[in-house]
Amino acid sequence: MLQQCNRFHGHGSLKFVYKNGQAVRSSIATIKYVKNPYRNHSRFAVVVSKKVLKSAVRRNRIRRRVYEIIRLELPNMKNDQDVAVIIFSAEVLSMPHKDLKQTNKESFLSSSTV
């Protein structure tokens, strides 16, 4: 699991990222990011809507899978951004870890968070 200092949630923080962030879209997710000059570490949020999957267990499983990929890639990323990963495809649940990691890595590279 990602450390608490690298996670954020709450409507105010997410609203700020949604409103002011730049977006990078892939086939399974959108990554919105914004520079946060007040912190010396990056923070991440993974959002999976009920429209994607009705089951909370499955939504949380997707969330944990994405957080694990972020945790492994964290040393290679910039340390001053707030990032929201918005999942809009249920296929993330059954996607092999290798493919999911590659998709997220490409998105992070194109969003200049690396």
Side-chain angles (χ1 to χ4, degrees), residues 63-74:
R63 199 172 287 120
R64 286 192 304 268
R65 292 184 76 195
V66 175
Y67 272 134
E68 180 63 16
I69 291 169
I70 293 169
R71 184 184 69 83
L72 295 174
E73 293 296 322
L74 193 60

Side-chain angles (χ1 to χ4, degrees), residues 11-23 32-34 84:
H11 295 292
S13 299
L14 283 172
K15 219 182 259 188
F16 181 78
V17 174
Y18 288 158
K19 184 177 179 182
N20 301 317
Q22 297 177 335
K32 288 201 141 216
Y33 63 96
V34 65

Side-chain angles (χ1 to χ4, degrees), residues 12-99:
S13 299
L14 283 172
K15 219 182 259 188
F16 181 78
V17 174
Y18 288 158
K19 184 177 179 182
N20 301 317
Q22 297 177 335
V24 175
R25 290 174 178 84
S26 71
S27 60
I28 58 169
T30 298
I31 297 175
K32 288 201 141 216
Y33 63 96
V34 65
K35 187 174 176 69
N36 188 345
Y38 303 110
R39 299 195 184 273
N40 58 357
H41 58 277
S42 291
R43 298 186 309 165
F44 297 88
V46 178
V47 179
V48 184
S49 172
K50 277 188 181 178
K51 290 182 181 180
V52 175
L53 286 166
K54 296 293 182 191
S55 170
V57 173
R58 292 181 177 173
R59 288 196 311 270
N60 288 336
R61 185 174 179 92
I62 289 175
R63 199 172 287 120
R64 286 192 304 268
R65 292 184 76 195
V66 175
Y67 272 134
E68 180 63 16
I69 291 169
I70 293 169
R71 184 184 69 83
L72 295 174
E73 293 296 322
L74 193 60
N76 303 326
M77 295 182 192
K78 289 183 180 178
N79 287 328
D80 61 348
Q81 297 192 354
D82 286 346
V83 181
V85 180
I86 302 123
I87 305 292
F88 53 80
S89 175
E91 70 183 50
V92 175
L93 187 62
S94 62
M95 185 180 281
H97 179 76
K98 184 178 176 182
D99 295 341

